[in-house]
Amino acid sequence: MQAIPLVETGAAEAFGLGDCEIAQACASHGGEARHTQTVSAWLGKLGLGPDDLECGTHWPMHDETTRAMAAAGETPCPIHNNCSGKHCGFLTTAVHMGEKTKGYVRFEHPVQQRILGVLEAMCGIDLGKAPRGIDGCAIPTIAIPLENMAYGMARFGAPDDLSPGRAAACRRIAAAVAAEPFMVAGSGRYCSEVMAVTGRSVLLKTGAEGVFCAAIPDYGLGVALKCDDGATRAAEVMMSAVLRHIGVLTDDMETKLARRIVMPLENRNGTHVGDVRASDIFTE
Amino acid sequence: MQAIPLVETGAAEAFGLGDCEIAQACASHGGEARHTQTVSAWLGKLGLGPDDLECGTHWPMHDETTRAMAAAGETPCPIHNNCSGKHCGFLTTAVHMGEKTKGYVRFEHPVQQRILGVLEAMCGIDLGKAPRGIDGCAIPTIAIPLENMAYGMARFGAPDDLSPGRAAACRRIAAAVAAEPFMVAGSGRYCSEVMAVTGRSVLLKTGAEGVFCAAIPDYGLGVALKCDDGATRAAEVMMSAVLRHIGVLTDDMETKLARRIVMPLENRNGTHVGDVRASDIFTE
């Protein structure tokens, strides 16, 4: 939903963005080479550089990439931040709209106000007085009830009732993430792996603190869940269980995603010592 | 408690182990140079090598060390496993007792049976039919109720009522971890930082899945807690709150441990965006 203004304002088209960039505008990526190369080239299109990203710096989430960088004597820059694609989207919108790019992460900046409006309209909730904090990547993070998030995801996936411009933006974004699921997360990551198998039938995105959201366009359904422990480990397995319960996974998909439905736990010797599995809440 | 047999059997003395090794026998270390050098030299004393460790291999938990190793073209071995010190303790006991070292991680092996007996005696509970699993480092992990763990920690810290041999072993281990807190965890880690400040007045150790245990020898108290979310983040702050409630932290200690009592959260730009703090459950 944060990427909707990028497409809706015409910014994405004006800068000739393709599936890779639009998918990255929805990403928490691992900082792998394809991710950072795309962000770097994208910044070039804007006439901007890494220092214009206000997301801060951290070593890539993808461990092998971090070690390869260290081996090559490299250090990370804001491009490696897992949110750098989303931030490129914010910058692109600001540049296209003729807004000052500096401070684009602030709640008061038009970029963030535009996103706030999209969230309110999509989720059907007044967020003017909603509790908010500052995210790890410096943008506002706004408290939205799960049912409203699910409603927003449902409308994102099946946007027929929205205005033509909004609906077209949702469809463009959905097509991009379905076409380039690797750009949304990366190697070995749930979001990329599941969407590579489901194609456009399931669109999903992990969030911080055990949140996970999905849209199932053909069913007109949205899913928003939060694992009470605030961690991704079980949230992923929960999402798989919900998708199975809804019935959107074919037998072939379930076979391919077996380790995402019942997640094996292995110790440091590679011995299988247990599993993370959903309880039978849906089948009992 | 897993290190008690190492001292109690006379193995530690027979191999001339000092504070560093004994503290490492209680460690979940970061794989920093001092940790791995100690483990490596210790294995040498036993006439064994990294392949005799059955803990499995992972890159050091200490990120800077991992990146430095990658930069130097190195790869990890079982010595870098955060449990390699505990496993050296297991091997030392096996060698000293004339037991076969291979398979020392198995529940049936005398090394693990000896530890089971220590846990039962210290915690005051029959564990013969307790649920158990296989730990990340391949040894048995046994379900012990928190109150029994706390009881075991209390007796570990104030062992006057135990047999002379057991009491001496507890005191030797307590002296070692208080003297070498770095060896128990490492740079930037709660256990090492807190014990560096509290000295022998508080002995503590983190566990997996949000477990945290402590002994307060002068008060004859033990503490065992588990954060419901299964994570370390809040478990550490909970432990600080319990220690304050007990009254074992002096004003000077509280000043030095301020960031361990109220843990600041910073985003990727280093902006202070919140805190992890205990609720006022003890003071209301």
Side-chain angles (χ1 to χ4, degrees):
Chain A
M1 283 189 259
Q2 289 172 320
I4 287 176
L6 170 68
V7 179
E8 197 174 40
T9 60
E13 196 178 351
F15 283 97
L17 304 186
D19 288 339
C20 285
E21 290 94 345
I22 294 174
Q24 279 221 317
C26 310
S28 299
H29 65 73
E32 297 177 71
R34 265 193 81 202
H35 300 130
T36 51
Q37 286 161 4
T38 301
V39 169
S40 192
W42 185 356
L43 284 171
K45 285 185 191 181
L46 302 175
L48 300 175
D51 291 346
D52 293 295
L53 293 169
E54 298 181 0
C55 48
T57 296
H58 62 79
W59 286 87
M61 290 201 301
H62 185 248
D63 290 338
E64 285 175 42
T65 300
T66 283
R67 295 195 296 264
M69 284 179 64
E74 296 169 9
T75 51
C77 75
I79 289 174
H80 298 93
N81 187 305
N82 74 91
C83 297
S84 65
K86 289 187 289 245
H87 283 245
C88 275
F90 304 151
L91 281 169
T92 305
T93 310
V95 170
H96 181 68
M97 300 298 282
E99 295 154 4
K100 198 172 67 171
T101 57
K102 193 168 168 56
Y104 72 86
V105 295
R106 295 178 60 84
F107 183 72
E108 297 78 13
H109 192 283
V111 161
Q112 300 303 333
Q113 285 296 307
R114 208 176 284 121
I115 289 170
L116 183 69
V118 167
L119 291 173
E120 288 184 316
M122 294 293 286
C123 298
I125 183 171
D126 175 1
L127 296 171
K129 294 181 179 168
R132 67 174 200 266
I134 299 174
D135 198 72
C137 72
I139 66 167
T141 177
I142 298 163
I144 302 178
L146 285 177
E147 56 264 41
N148 293 89
M149 271 306 295
Y151 180 59
M153 291 300 290
R155 300 174 84 199
F156 167 77
D160 289 351
D161 297 338
L162 306 181
S163 70
R166 175 70 48 93
C170 292
R171 291 196 189 93
R172 179 72 192 91
I173 294 166
V177 298
E180 294 289 350
F182 177 84
M183 301 309 273
V184 174
S187 301
R189 295 272 303 279
Y190 183 94
C191 290
S192 296
E193 188 179 322
V194 173
M195 288 196 288
V197 169
T198 60
R200 299 175 74 144
S201 63
V202 177
L203 306 166
L204 41 70
K205 175 68 176 68
T206 188
E209 296 293 326
V211 169
F212 227 112
C213 292
I216 298 111
D218 295 342
Y219 292 55
L221 287 175
V223 178
L225 62 83
K226 177 175 166 67
C227 188
D228 272 350
D229 70 0
T232 301
R233 179 171 59 174
E236 293 177 346
V237 173
M238 288 161 66
M239 179 57 81
S240 296
V242 171
L243 296 177
R244 287 184 82 197
H245 177 66
I246 290 171
V248 67
L249 300 182
T250 64
D251 289 348
D252 180 55
M253 290 177 189
E254 291 201 7
T255 302
K256 287 177 177 157
L257 296 173
R259 291 172 66 91
R260 298 303 190 174
I261 294 167
V262 176
M263 187 176 83
L265 296 173
E266 295 182 350
N267 71 9
R268 300 298 189 176
N269 286 320
T271 305
H272 180 222
V273 296
D275 300 292
V276 181
R277 63 174 74 236
S279 61
D280 291 333
I281 185 168
F282 294 124
T283 53
E284 270 167 1
Chain B
M1 282 190 260
Q2 290 171 319
I4 287 176
L6 171 67
V7 179
E8 196 174 41
T9 60
E13 195 177 353
F15 284 96
L17 303 186
D19 289 338
C20 284
E21 290 93 345
I22 295 173
Q24 278 221 319
C26 309
S28 298
H29 65 74
E32 297 177 70
R34 264 192 82 202
H35 301 130
T36 51
Q37 286 160 4
T38 301
V39 169
S40 192
W42 185 356
L43 284 170
K45 286 185 192 181
L46 302 175
L48 300 174
D51 290 347
D52 292 296
L53 292 170
E54 298 181 0
C55 48
T57 297
H58 62 79
W59 287 86
M61 290 202 300
H62 186 247
D63 290 338
E64 286 175 41
T65 300
T66 284
R67 295 195 298 262
M69 284 178 63
E74 296 169 10
T75 52
C77 75
I79 289 175
H80 299 92
N81 187 305
N82 74 92
C83 299
S84 65
K86 289 187 289 245
H87 282 247
C88 275
F90 303 149
L91 281 169
T92 305
T93 311
V95 170
H96 180 68
M97 299 298 283
E99 296 154 4
K100 198 172 67 170
T101 57
K102 192 168 170 54
Y104 72 86
V105 296
R106 295 179 61 84
F107 182 73
E108 299 78 11
H109 192 282
V111 161
Q112 300 304 332
Q113 285 295 307
R114 210 176 282 121
I115 289 169
L116 183 69
V118 168
L119 291 172
E120 288 184 317
M122 294 292 286
C123 298
I125 183 172
D126 176 2
L127 296 171
K129 293 180 178 169
R132 67 174 200 267
I134 300 173
D135 199 72
C137 72
I139 66 167
T141 177
I142 298 163
I144 302 178
L146 285 177
E147 57 265 41
N148 292 90
M149 272 305 295
Y151 180 60
M153 291 301 289
R155 299 174 84 199
F156 167 76
D160 289 352
D161 296 338
L162 306 181
S163 70
R166 175 69 49 93
C170 292
R171 290 195 189 93
R172 179 72 193 91
I173 294 166
V177 298
E180 293 289 351
F182 178 85
M183 301 309 275
V184 175
S187 301
R189 294 272 302 280
Y190 183 94
C191 290
S192 296
E193 188 179 322
V194 172
M195 289 196 287
V197 168
T198 60
R200 297 174 75 143
S201 63
V202 177
L203 306 167
L204 40 73
K205 175 68 176 68
T206 188
E209 295 295 324
V211 168
F212 227 113
C213 292
I216 298 114
D218 295 341
Y219 293 54
L221 286 175
V223 178
L225 62 83
K226 177 176 165 68
C227 187
D228 272 350
D229 71 358
T232 301
R233 179 171 59 174
E236 292 178 347
V237 173
M238 288 162 67
M239 178 56 81
S240 296
V242 171
L243 296 177
R244 288 184 81 197
H245 177 66
I246 290 171
V248 67
L249 301 182
T250 64
D251 290 348
D252 180 56
M253 290 176 189
E254 290 201 6
T255 302
K256 287 177 176 159
L257 295 173
R259 291 171 67 91
R260 298 303 190 174
I261 294 167
V262 176
M263 186 175 84
L265 296 173
E266 294 181 351
N267 71 9
R268 300 297 189 176
N269 287 318
T271 305
H272 180 222
V273 296
D275 300 294
V276 181
R277 63 174 73 238
S279 62
D280 291 333
I281 185 167
F282 294 125
T283 54
E284 272 168 358

